[in-house]
């Protein structure tokens, strides 16, 4: 049995339970409070009945197979029945009741599930929804009568007539609810992993986005209803991009998903409509929602569409970031150590903030993470870009001492990536540019710690940015080639800045330090359904770099708060060790010398001792953490409890263990 057989029954159900609430004049529904209550009860009955049919259909489908071939007459009747049901439901979406609209949305999604076994009927439903949406948006934008649906030749005139009779009262709110319904249908396809229906769904998205006269949105003066529509549209586009992109595919994405270039083309308009000028902006909570969704959309496009994004598009995205989110990009990375994310509900700390202030703090940090990650992805994508539109960066530009290159009309896209990245570092590390080399490196490491702390409370963005920075390191090694410059020019060298602030080895050490060297946290990441693959990839790449740059790993020292996280017992063991005894004894010279010289020697030896201690503590803590992780993974894998094959990760950890064993000075 397929969904086709349910259409007549569905038509009768809607006519029996919902039609009594329609006005005699077709195309309108007016509700009193009592009538709204009864209508909600009727809608609930319709929804529950459809759910019963879906369960019955699932049982029957396991026992028999029915041919989907029908005569043209039967197909016509089915389509006519479906149009009647859909028109009635869309009419109810025009009612000024959020409860009625929500109930109708649930029913349409349930009808989609009911018709899913019949691709033909499901196709008709989804096609009709897209046509209805296009008709409504065109009607609202032009303020004229609903007429046609673009150049769609596959949608019958009779079907248009049926829908037209019911769409006269439709507005931005109706369009927003239809988009929400289509988004929920898309999400259900993702859950069911139904590729066939997904292909049917996608073929109607492109005509809608292409046929709507989007430029008229600038002329539309209706504010609040349009805001609701735009919010629904952006949420839908985020879900669409997440569902349709396939970065592992060898097929060019523009050929496989022709909708994506249209979405990319819409991006600048969406920023203008949603964020606009400061004096015309929507209320704060809506502005925050738009900020979050627009940055999410660009991030998903950048990850899904990958190298297929043109340099021109990347440059335009950087400009959008500067125009709308410059404050977030330049906001200091250091923040109050205790923020709302770290506090339990009812904490005294939170009582010092109003609900609005606490929410703004939370949103501000989240948006900063999104904006900075997108900024780095755009810059590094431009730096690593190749092609006719990109010239090799001149050797003279590698030091970036002349930042006014931006005024040169002939500068390449790759140069744009270098320039923007340099200016960003300059803004965050301005004070350290005046220091000596050692202090400069220390400032870079402190910046890296603050940068890492910014992302620690959002695990999904944390591993995205960590993987991005590992990739960036190899990217710059490849493109910043040439003779090594003396240090006086190194502070202007973007490669020097990235290699110190975002060194993969340093970040790996800092990452483990921020987790307090707790291997259980790493294990939780690895077995997480959402983060496991990302964490495994990051550990694999860091372990490979660590093993090939072993001297950097063992020489890294971390000071400050990281020292406090070490156990007192472990610090005492190290202090009692022979190497540390020697260091301490050397700090008490017996020679007869002047007090001033004696003080200088003591200061120097104390500093050397402290640095030695920090280096050894950092190495030992990192070693213990990673080797404990190895043991835990082996135990779980032996019991078949690890969610995927950890062979590659265990091999890297074994290599790491071997290097640790051979390192006698730190054994």
């Amino acid at each position: 049995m397929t969904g086709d057989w349910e259409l007549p029954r569905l038509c009768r159900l809607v006519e029996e339970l919902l039609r009594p609430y329609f006005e005699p004049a077709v195309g309108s529904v007016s509700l009193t409070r009592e009538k709204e209550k009864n209508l909600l009860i009727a809608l609930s009955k319709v929804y529950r009945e459809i759910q019963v049919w879906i369960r019955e259909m699932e049982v029957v489908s396991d026992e028999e197979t029915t041919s989907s071939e029908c005569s043209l007459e039967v197909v016509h009747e089915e389509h006519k029945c479906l149009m009647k049901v859909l028109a009635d439901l869309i009419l109810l979406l025009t009612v000024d009741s959020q409860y009625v609209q929500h109930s109708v949305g649930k029913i349409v999604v349930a009808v989609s599930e009911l018709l899913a076994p019949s691709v033909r009927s499901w196709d008709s439903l989804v096609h009709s929804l897209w046509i209805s949406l296009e008709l409504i948006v065109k009607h609202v934008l032009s303020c004229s009568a609903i007429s046609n649906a673009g150049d769609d030749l596959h949608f019958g005139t009779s079907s248009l007539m049926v829908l037209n009779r019911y769409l006269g009262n439709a507005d931005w709110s109706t369009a927003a609810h239809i988009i929400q319904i289509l988004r929920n249908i898309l999400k259900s396809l993702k859950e069911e992993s139904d590729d066939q229906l997904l292909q049917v769904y996608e073929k109607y998205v492109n005509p809608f986005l292409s046929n709507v006269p989007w430029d008229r949105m600038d002329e539309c003066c209706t504010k609040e209803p349009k805001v609701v529509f735009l919010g629904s549209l952006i949420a839908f586009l985020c879900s669409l991009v997440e569902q349709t992109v396939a970065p592992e595919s060898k097929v060019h994405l523009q050929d496989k998903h022709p909708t994506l270039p249209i979405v990319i083309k819409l991006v600048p308009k969406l920023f203008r409509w949603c964020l606009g000028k400061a004096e015309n902006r929507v209320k704060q909570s809506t502005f925050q929602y738009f900020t979050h969704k627009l940055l999410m959309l660009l991030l998903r496009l950048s990850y899904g569409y990958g190298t297929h994004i043109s340099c021109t598009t990347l440059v335009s995205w950087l400009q959008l970031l500067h125009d709308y989110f410059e404050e977030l990009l330049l906001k200091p990375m250091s923040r109050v150590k205790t923020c709302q994310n770290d506090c339990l509900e009812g904490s005294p700390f939170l009582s010092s903030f109003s609900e609005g202030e606490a929410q703004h703090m939370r949103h501000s940090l989240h948006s900063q993470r999104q904006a900075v990650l997108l900024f780095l992805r755009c810059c590094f994508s431009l730096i690593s870009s190749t092609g006719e539109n990109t010239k090799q960066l001149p050797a003279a530009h590698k030091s970036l001492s002349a930042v006014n290159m931006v005024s040169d009309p002939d500068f390449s896209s790759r140069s744009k990536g270098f320039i923007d990245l340099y200016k960003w570092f300059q803004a965050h590390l301005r004070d350290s540019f005046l220091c000596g080399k050692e202090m400069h490196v220390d400032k870079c490491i402190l910046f890296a710690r603050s940068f890492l702390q910014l992302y620690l409370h959002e695990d999904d963005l944390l591993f995205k940015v960590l993987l991005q920075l590992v990739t960036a390191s190899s990217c710059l090694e490849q493109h910043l080639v040439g003779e090594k410059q003396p240090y006086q020019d190194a502070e202007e060298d973007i490669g020097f800045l990235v290699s110190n602030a975002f060194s993969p080895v340093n970040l790996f050490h800092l990452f483990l330090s921020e987790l307090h060297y707790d291997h259980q946290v790493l294990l939780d990441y690895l077995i997480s359904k959402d983060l496991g693959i990302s964490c495994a990839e990051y550990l694999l790449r860091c372990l490979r770099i660590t093993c090939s740059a072993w001297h950097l790993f063992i020489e890294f020292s971390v000071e400050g708060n990281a020292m406090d996280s070490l156990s007192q017992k472990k610090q005492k063991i190290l202090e009692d060790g022979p190497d540390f005894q020697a260091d301490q004894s050397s700090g008490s010279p017996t020679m007869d010398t002047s007090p001033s010289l004696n003080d200088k020697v003591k200061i120097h030896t104390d500093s050397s001792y402290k640095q030695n201690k920090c280096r050894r503590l950092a190495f030992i803590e990192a070693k213990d953490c990673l080797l404990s992780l190895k043991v835990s993974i082996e135990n779980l894998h032996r019991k078949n409890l690890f969610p995927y094959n950890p062979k590659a990760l265990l091999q890297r950890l074994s290599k790491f263990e071997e290097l640790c064993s051979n390192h006698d000075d730190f054994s």
Side-chain angles (χ1 to χ4, degrees):
M1 180 180 292
T2 64
D4 299 329
W5 300 96
E6 303 296 343
L7 282 172
R9 190 159 55 151
L10 178 63
C11 196
R12 291 193 298 270
L13 179 68
V14 170
E15 186 168 357
E16 175 187 345
L17 293 177
L18 303 182
R19 273 300 180 93
Y21 296 93
F22 293 6
E23 294 296 319
V26 178
S28 64
V29 176
S30 60
L31 294 179
T32 62
R33 192 165 194 145
E34 185 65 24
K35 197 174 179 181
E36 179 185 14
K37 177 181 176 182
N38 293 332
L39 176 56
L40 288 171
I41 294 173
L43 288 168
S44 179
K45 288 180 179 178
V46 171
Y47 178 75
R48 289 200 303 269
E49 191 66 22
I50 294 174
Q51 291 295 322
V52 171
W53 296 347
I54 292 173
R55 289 192 292 270
E56 290 176 351
M57 186 177 61
E58 290 172 349
V59 173
V60 174
S61 63
D62 294 335
E63 301 174 355
E64 60 180 41
T65 303
T66 305
S67 173
S68 60
E69 294 183 5
C70 299
S71 65
L72 290 176
E73 182 179 354
V74 172
V75 171
H76 177 72
E77 286 301 317
E78 289 172 355
H79 184 71
K80 182 179 177 181
C81 184
L82 179 60
M83 288 301 98
K84 190 176 180 181
V85 170
L86 187 59
D88 288 345
L89 293 173
I90 289 179
L91 176 59
L92 290 174
L93 286 177
T94 65
V95 174
D96 186 18
S97 169
Q98 60 177 328
Y99 305 109
V100 171
Q101 293 167 337
H102 176 73
S103 298
V104 171
K106 288 176 59 180
I107 289 174
V108 178
V109 175
V111 171
S112 167
E113 187 178 353
L114 180 70
L115 299 181
S118 170
V119 176
R120 181 182 63 250
S121 296
W122 192 87
D123 186 316
S124 296
L125 172 68
V126 173
H127 192 187
S128 301
L129 285 170
W130 281 113
I131 292 296
S132 300
L133 180 61
E134 182 181 333
L135 290 172
I136 294 171
V137 174
K138 283 184 173 181
H139 166 60
V140 178
L141 285 175
S142 63
C143 297
S144 61
I146 292 178
S147 54
N148 58 70
D151 301 322
D152 200 314
L153 302 177
H154 302 287
F155 204 77
T157 305
S158 60
S159 300
L160 283 173
M161 291 178 62
V162 172
L163 291 176
N164 283 348
R165 295 171 61 195
Y166 292 88
L167 297 179
N169 296 327
D171 55 12
W172 284 123
S173 178
T174 313
H177 282 288
I178 293 179
I179 288 184
Q180 291 168 14
I181 289 170
L182 286 165
R183 179 176 178 238
N184 289 333
I185 291 175
L186 179 63
K187 291 167 70 175
S188 69
L189 293 179
K190 178 183 178 182
E191 293 172 1
E192 297 295 330
S193 301
D194 196 324
D195 294 335
Q196 183 182 14
L197 294 184
L198 181 60
Q199 290 177 2
V200 173
Y201 184 98
E202 289 175 4
K203 72 179 181 181
Y204 296 122
V205 180
N206 196 11
F208 165 74
L209 294 175
S210 302
N211 292 335
V212 170
W214 294 110
D215 290 336
R216 293 185 184 177
M217 288 285 288
D218 295 307
E219 306 167 8
C220 185
C221 57
T222 307
K223 191 170 182 181
E224 190 63 30
K226 186 177 75 171
V227 166
V228 176
F229 169 77
L230 287 172
S232 300
L233 177 63
I234 297 172
F236 165 76
L237 293 176
C238 287
S239 297
L240 178 70
V241 172
E242 180 186 37
Q243 179 66 26
T244 56
V245 293
E248 72 281 358
S249 173
K250 296 181 181 179
V251 181
H252 196 292
L253 284 176
Q254 185 167 340
D255 299 329
K256 189 174 181 182
H257 300 296
T259 300
L260 294 180
I262 301 177
V263 176
I264 290 175
K265 190 176 179 181
L266 267 178
V267 164
K269 297 177 181 179
L270 290 171
F271 270 75
R272 186 171 69 250
W273 299 331
C274 297
L275 303 181
K277 297 181 179 178
E279 61 270 19
N280 297 325
R281 282 179 182 170
V282 294
K283 59 184 181 181
Q284 183 67 20
S285 58
T286 306
F287 181 77
Q288 291 174 351
Y289 175 82
F290 281 151
T291 297
H292 163 69
K293 283 297 184 181
L294 286 170
L295 289 171
M296 175 190 291
L297 177 61
L298 292 191
L299 281 171
R300 288 185 176 179
L301 283 169
S302 73
Y303 278 98
Y305 213 54
T307 56
H308 300 294
I309 298 180
S310 68
C311 291
T312 303
T313 297
L314 291 171
V315 170
S316 72
W317 287 3
L318 278 176
Q319 192 58 49
L320 288 173
L321 286 171
H322 289 307
D323 290 343
Y324 293 97
F325 305 121
E326 186 77 0
E327 182 180 351
L328 292 176
L329 293 179
L330 301 183
K331 185 178 179 181
M333 295 293 172
S334 57
R335 59 189 178 92
V336 180
K337 199 66 177 173
T338 307
C339 71
Q340 188 175 9
N341 289 331
D342 305 319
C343 295
L344 295 174
E345 186 176 352
S347 165
F349 172 78
L350 291 182
S351 63
S352 62
F353 293 93
S354 68
E355 183 177 349
E357 289 173 330
Q359 183 180 1
H360 177 72
M361 180 193 300
R362 220 171 29 242
H363 171 265
S364 178
L365 289 172
H366 171 71
S367 298
Q368 184 184 9
R369 294 171 191 129
Q370 287 180 303
V372 170
L373 174 57
L374 179 62
F375 173 80
L376 292 175
R377 283 190 63 77
C378 289
C379 287
F380 288 122
S381 295
L382 287 172
I383 290 171
S384 61
S385 61
T386 57
E388 295 179 0
N389 296 329
T390 312
K391 306 172 186 176
Q392 178 65 37
L393 184 68
H397 289 174
K398 287 180 185 175
S399 68
L400 293 177
S401 57
V403 183
N404 58 359
M405 278 194 305
V406 71
S407 61
D408 182 358
D410 297 324
F411 81 97
S412 66
S413 298
R414 186 177 297 164
S415 300
K416 172 67 174 172
F418 274 101
I419 293 168
D420 278 31
L421 192 59
Y422 175 81
K423 285 185 173 182
W424 183 75
F425 270 116
Q426 187 181 49
H428 285 283
L429 294 169
R430 188 180 304 275
D431 294 339
S432 68
F433 284 2
L434 305 176
C435 304
K437 181 176 180 180
E438 290 183 3
M439 185 61 70
H440 184 95
V441 173
D442 289 342
K443 291 286 186 181
C444 284
I445 292 177
L446 288 176
F447 169 76
R449 178 186 287 281
S450 298
F451 181 90
L452 195 58
Q453 288 172 345
L454 174 66
Y455 284 89
L456 277 177
H457 294 288
E458 281 195 70
D459 297 337
D460 55 338
L461 291 180
L462 170 64
F463 286 105
K464 278 185 170 66
V465 78
L466 286 173
L467 286 168
Q468 178 63 54
L469 294 178
V470 171
T471 305
S473 176
S474 59
C475 161
L476 285 171
E477 285 179 8
Q478 180 180 357
H479 292 283
L480 282 173
V481 294
E483 295 182 3
K484 185 177 179 66
Q485 302 176 34
Y487 174 70
Q488 56 266 27
D489 295 327
E491 65 181 16
E492 298 172 351
D493 184 350
I494 194 66
F496 177 84
L497 290 170
V498 174
S499 65
N500 283 281
F502 291 149
S503 160
V505 173
N506 292 354
L507 276 177
F508 190 38
H509 257 297
L510 292 172
F511 171 67
L512 296 176
S513 170
E514 290 300 317
L515 299 184
H516 303 290
Y517 302 102
D518 187 347
H519 76 282
Q520 291 290 350
V521 177
L522 283 176
L523 189 62
D524 288 343
Y525 282 143
L526 285 171
I527 63 178
S528 166
K529 179 182 178 182
D530 299 322
L531 302 171
I533 300 302
S534 298
C535 180
E537 182 182 357
Y538 177 66
L539 288 179
L540 282 169
R541 297 179 71 173
C542 282
L543 286 169
R544 178 180 60 80
I545 294 171
T546 295
C547 292
S548 61
W550 185 246
H551 63 289
L552 296 178
F553 186 77
I554 62 176
E555 290 174 2
F556 177 82
S557 64
V558 56
E559 301 182 27
N561 294 333
M563 289 287 293
D564 299 333
S565 67
L566 301 177
S567 67
Q568 294 294 327
K569 181 178 179 181
K570 191 165 294 187
Q571 290 193 46
K572 188 175 189 309
I573 291 174
L574 288 169
E575 290 170 357
D576 292 340
D579 293 336
F580 279 84
Q581 295 281 354
D583 287 339
Q584 287 176 304
S585 62
S586 63
S588 304
T590 57
M591 66 181 70
D592 184 16
T593 183
S594 64
S596 58
L597 180 60
N598 199 16
D599 289 342
K600 290 180 180 180
V601 172
K602 187 176 188 304
I603 291 172
H604 173 74
T605 53
D606 285 349
S607 175
S608 176
Y609 166 74
K610 183 179 179 182
Q611 187 176 18
N612 240 355
K613 180 180 177 182
C614 289
R615 184 182 299 119
R616 293 170 186 250
L617 288 173
F619 171 78
I620 290 176
E621 287 285 1
K623 179 189 72 171
D624 291 350
C625 173
L626 293 172
L627 295 186
S628 296
L629 177 66
K630 176 176 177 288
V631 173
S632 296
I633 295 175
E634 288 173 335
N635 290 336
L636 289 176
H637 185 49
R638 193 179 304 113
K639 300 173 183 177
N640 293 322
L641 295 177
F642 205 76
Y644 49 89
N645 189 348
K647 182 178 179 181
L649 184 56
L650 287 174
Q651 287 176 341
R652 292 277 169 85
L653 287 169
S654 296
K655 176 63 176 176
F656 175 82
E657 184 177 25
E658 179 184 342
L659 289 172
C660 289
S661 299
N662 294 335
H663 188 64
D664 295 332
D665 291 340
F666 293 89
S667 59

